[in-house]
Every structure is written in C-alpha cells, then in structure tokens.
Amino acid sequence: MGNEMKMGQFLKSLSDFFFTYETPRQVVVRNKKVGVVCRLIQVGVFAYIIGWVFIYEKGYQSKEYGVSSVFTKVKGVGYAKGEHWESVLDGADYVFPPQGEPSFVVMTNYIITEGQKRGSCPEHPRKSNCSSDADCEKGSFKRRMTGECDPIVKTCRVLAWCPVEDDYNIPDPALLLSAENFTLFIKNTVTFPDFGVTRSNLVNEGSKTKLSKCLYHKTHAPLCPIFRLGDLIKQSGFDFKLIARVGGAIGVIIEWTCNFDFDVKYCKPVYSFHGLYGNYEEKDQEPVGYNFRHAIYHTVDNVQTRTLKKIFGIRIDIIVEALGRKFDVIPTVTAIGSGVGIFGVVTIVCDLVLLHLLPKRKFYKDMKFKSAPPVNGQQDQAQDQDQAQDQDEDVDSEGCGTEIDESKGQRRKHRRT
C-alpha cells in the first residue's frame, strides 16, 4: 500500500513537471522599505555598468597586446685613474654585451687581476689559512687544493689561475664615476597586427637634428628617447655614487596605452624608471650589488695567460608594455547583456525581503503565487481554495495585475495598458 502511494506521488510529480508552466506574476507592492531597497540596488547596478564596465574597463572595446622590438646604444667617454695608472674607456670597453640588447650592463667599477696562468699558488690570505700540510686536505674547498701549506703566505696551495684574485677591496669611490654623464639611446617599435598599426618612439621628435640634441626630461621633453644615465638612476630612487661602487639593476618601463578610436598620432610612449631591488640608503633592506667576471685571453711565450676583470655595473632592463584598444560590436553587446542580466539581482533581493523578512510575508506569498485552473475545467482541491480566496479578483481576458497597498492592508485591481 505504501509503495503504491509513493508511486502515485512520483507519477503526479512527474506529470506536474511535464504538463505545467510557470509564468511570473507582476504584483505592485506599496512598501517603502522594499521600494527603497529596490531603487538603491538598481542605482548601484547602473553605476557599476556605466562607471566600471564601460568607462574604467572600456568594455565596449576589443584589446590587443602589442609586439615590441628594442634597440639600445650607450655613448660617452669614461676616464678611470688608479694609484699608478690611468685609462680612457669608450662604449666598446664598458657596455656588456655590445650588440644593443634590451638588457645590458654599463660598467662603473672593476677589479683587475693581470697575468694569470694555470698552475699552483697559495690561496688568498683570507681563505684556507694553515700552519702545516695537515691543515690542507687535498682536493677540498672551492678550489682544488694540492695538500701543501705555503710556508710564506701560510695558506693552502691550490690549483688555479695564478695569482688568485683579490676581490675583497672594492675601489671606493667607483673608478668610472664619469659614467653618470653617459647617454642611453632607446629605439622602440611596437606593432598591433589585428589593428594594422605600427608605432615608433622616434616619430614624434621630428628631424634627426632635433633628435640628436634632445635629452629626456619628465616635463619639458617627455618623448625624447635619449636619457642621461645619472638622471635615470636618480629617478629610480638610487644614489649614483653608491650604486656605481657595487652595482645594481634598473628597469626602464616603456608603456604604450593606445586608443585607436582616435587618431594614431595620440598613441605615444610613457617612460618610467624603477630600481629592481633594494635601495642602499634604506636600512631595512639588504644592499645587493651586481657584478660578473670577464676574462681577456692572450699567449705569452707559448703559455696561455689571461687578464681577469671583476666588473661592477648598472644592469638596465628595457621593459615594454603595449596595449591597444578599439571599438568593437561584440564586446559592446556582451557588456550590455551582462549588465542587463545583473539587474536580475534586484528582483532576487527584493523578493527575499518581501517573502521572508517582512512581518506580512505570508500575505505577500499568497498574492505572488497563484495557480490557474486546467483548460478542461477540472480543478483539484488546492485550486478550489485559491479561487475561493480570490473571489474579489476578477482577472479578465485582457490581463489585470494586483496592487497591494500595505498602509490599508487591502488589495485593489488596476488595469495595465
């Protein structure tokens, strides 16, 4: 018996699912709280669509990230002087690599170890100190030890390029402080294939004569592609003398933000400069330098020798960010459609307040949810009760809504036009 009842309920539910249709019923509720909540949410959604989607995010435009190429050149004559020597350097001496890459190093300080040959020699006095051969384990430590203690220097002998490098005493001040006046030329081209646009950072500076004489200034010459190295370091937040001594890394950001709904001549680069790690003047950050070693090999009396140079320099990375936008129907329609869909949140929130939070929620539920009689005129018990409850509501064939006036607690009909 119980199984038959369950089966009957299942079949009735299945029948209701396939053979019933639900349509929204519009009920006008005169309630100040619900009305205010509704209008506030509508204003918020409208402000989001207009302010955020269309104005800030530019949802009516399609976007494309540009393809970029960068060429660089550093110019200037450097002068370095030691205790018993002096030297003049040009771009071929202080730029690594010299091919005009978007990432390169400008040498500002260095330590030279000349005449190195492969062989056996005592380690640096600050490393591998010893008093006898027993203190020098053969084959250990960073360099390969011979197992012998040098009786004069009192350090373990090693197999290495001899004499070993002494890089503990970094020249101070930096040997190449004249690098502050070097100039950096940046040639940048960006292409937006989908929009068929190519732009260069040289277009807006006019003739070559004018270009060769300009020097970048944030206010007076913001489009000039020639930068003084000292100004670049200063705008990155570093002190040139400090960074020149032990090296550092600087990022040059070239930002292209182009709106191709206007003339392409308004598509111009904006330059900014950033230190890529801690400032030496900030006590809460560990000062991190930048250095590498470079060797020049030559042969003397059929013996290969080399001059080793430990280079401290300013690493410069050119970073290009290019974004182009243009009006497109598809993203515009998509943005409008999603905005219209968000307005559905208003109905959900107001129904939640109306049907679950207000004191007269049962009354509102009865007014909102109604069941129409079947077409054949047969009505079940629940539908008879609904019809008896709404005897005063004669909904004619033209369609009438129900208006609820909460202040009087009564319902009245009104015809929709």
Side-chain angles (χ1 to χ4, degrees):
M1 190 67 177
N3 292 335
E4 293 179 357
M5 291 181 63
K6 291 181 179 179
M7 180 60 68
Q9 292 176 357
F10 172 74
L11 292 176
K12 185 178 183 304
S13 299
L14 192 63
S15 175
D16 291 341
F17 175 78
F18 281 104
F19 303 113
T20 60
Y21 167 71
E22 296 177 357
T23 182
R25 183 186 186 192
Q26 187 172 359
V27 179
V28 179
V29 179
R30 296 188 180 280
N31 183 288
K32 294 181 179 179
K33 295 180 180 179
V34 178
V36 170
V37 170
C38 178
R39 299 303 173 231
L40 288 177
I41 298 177
Q42 287 177 337
V43 170
V45 172
F46 186 77
Y48 165 77
I49 296 172
I50 300 299
W52 178 264
V53 176
F54 281 95
I55 297 179
Y56 185 79
E57 289 292 334
K58 293 180 172 57
Y60 58 92
Q61 294 178 318
S62 61
K63 63 181 180 180
E64 179 188 13
Y65 293 97
V67 180
S68 172
S69 64
V70 175
F71 166 80
T72 60
K73 182 182 291 186
V74 180
K75 290 186 177 181
V77 177
Y79 175 76
K81 184 177 181 180
E83 186 176 353
H84 303 292
W85 59 272
E86 60 181 357
S87 177
V88 176
L89 303 92
D90 58 19
D93 300 313
Y94 56 71
V95 178
F96 301 88
Q99 292 89 359
E101 299 290 332
S103 180
F104 58 95
V105 178
V106 177
M107 180 179 69
T108 54
N109 206 4
Y110 55 91
I111 298 173
I112 294 181
T113 306
E114 296 182 309
Q116 284 188 320
K117 301 177 182 179
R118 291 188 178 93
S120 172
C121 55
E123 180 61 284
H124 190 275
R126 294 191 182 186
K127 301 177 181 178
S128 307
N129 293 326
C130 63
S131 57
S132 64
D133 292 348
D135 297 328
C136 302
E137 183 180 351
K138 187 175 181 179
S140 63
F141 292 92
K142 293 182 179 180
R143 290 191 176 97
R144 187 173 184 84
M145 292 188 178
T146 63
E148 301 175 354
C149 180
D150 189 271
I152 300 176
V153 184
K154 294 297 181 181
T155 59
C156 298
R157 295 185 67 84
V158 295
L159 294 175
W161 285 92
C162 301
V164 296
E165 179 188 45
D166 179 7
D167 60 349
Y168 284 92
N169 298 316
I170 302 175
D172 189 12
L175 296 175
L176 212 59
L177 284 177
S178 55
E180 186 174 12
N181 294 315
F182 292 170
T183 57
L184 166 63
F185 168 68
I186 300 176
K187 182 178 181 180
N188 174 222
T189 301
V190 293
T191 301
F192 301 92
D194 292 346
F195 299 142
V197 177
T198 298
R199 296 292 292 166
S200 170
N201 65 331
L202 309 182
V203 173
N204 298 288
E205 286 301 317
S207 65
K208 293 183 178 180
T209 304
K210 183 178 179 181
L211 181 64
S212 63
K213 294 182 179 180
C214 78
L215 192 64
Y216 174 83
H217 188 277
K218 188 174 183 179
T219 304
H220 303 300
L223 296 177
C224 179
I226 301 177
F227 307 84
R228 180 175 173 270
L229 194 59
D231 296 336
L232 190 152
I233 301 302
K234 183 178 180 181
Q235 293 187 50
S236 301
F238 287 91
D239 179 79
F240 184 84
K241 292 182 179 179
L242 291 173
I243 199 174
R245 179 176 177 269
V246 294
I250 301 298
V252 178
I253 313 297
I254 306 177
E255 184 177 1
W256 297 80
T257 303
C258 303
N259 187 347
F260 295 121
D261 290 335
F262 301 96
D263 197 304
V264 294
K265 69 180 182 180
Y266 298 109
C267 179
K268 301 177 181 180
V270 177
Y271 301 96
S272 59
F273 315 95
H274 306 278
L276 298 184
Y277 46 71
N279 193 325
Y280 302 107
E281 295 180 339
E282 298 179 3
K283 297 181 180 180
D284 59 337
Q285 296 190 23
E286 181 181 357
V288 181
Y290 181 85
N291 63 79
F292 63 96
R293 288 174 174 83
H294 176 69
I296 301 175
Y297 295 89
H298 46 277
T299 301
V300 177
D301 297 332
N302 294 325
V303 177
Q304 187 181 39
T305 63
R306 75 176 187 182
T307 298
L308 180 65
K309 183 180 289 187
K310 184 175 183 179
I311 296 173
F312 302 87
I314 302 171
R315 177 187 175 95
I316 300 176
D317 293 329
I318 313 297
I319 304 169
V320 180
E321 300 176 352
L323 176 63
R325 296 178 180 272
K326 193 173 184 179
F327 174 78
D328 194 341
V329 174
I330 294 177
T332 302
V333 173
T334 302
I336 294 174
S338 62
V340 172
I342 295 175
F343 272 103
V345 176
V346 180
T347 303
I348 295 174
V349 175
C350 291
D351 282 352
L352 178 65
V353 175
L354 187 69
L355 304 177
H356 299 282
L357 300 180
L358 293 183
K360 298 182 180 180
R361 52 186 176 273
K362 186 177 183 306
F363 173 73
Y364 293 130
K365 285 182 180 179
D366 293 339
M367 296 303 302
K368 181 173 177 62
F369 302 106
K370 298 292 179 182
S371 297
V375 176
N376 58 15
Q378 297 178 356
Q379 302 176 354
D380 57 21
Q381 184 177 0
Q383 292 170 338
D384 290 339
Q385 293 175 354
D386 288 340
Q387 187 177 18
Q389 183 180 0
D390 299 328
Q391 295 177 11
D392 56 339
E393 295 184 14
D394 297 328
V395 182
D396 60 13
S397 59
E398 294 180 0
C400 293
T402 301
E403 180 176 324
I404 302 173
D405 192 339
E406 190 184 46
S407 63
K408 297 182 180 179
Q410 61 183 5
R411 296 169 290 179
R412 62 175 178 271
K413 293 184 296 179
H414 70 282
R415 185 172 303 278
R416 290 187 234 294
T417 58

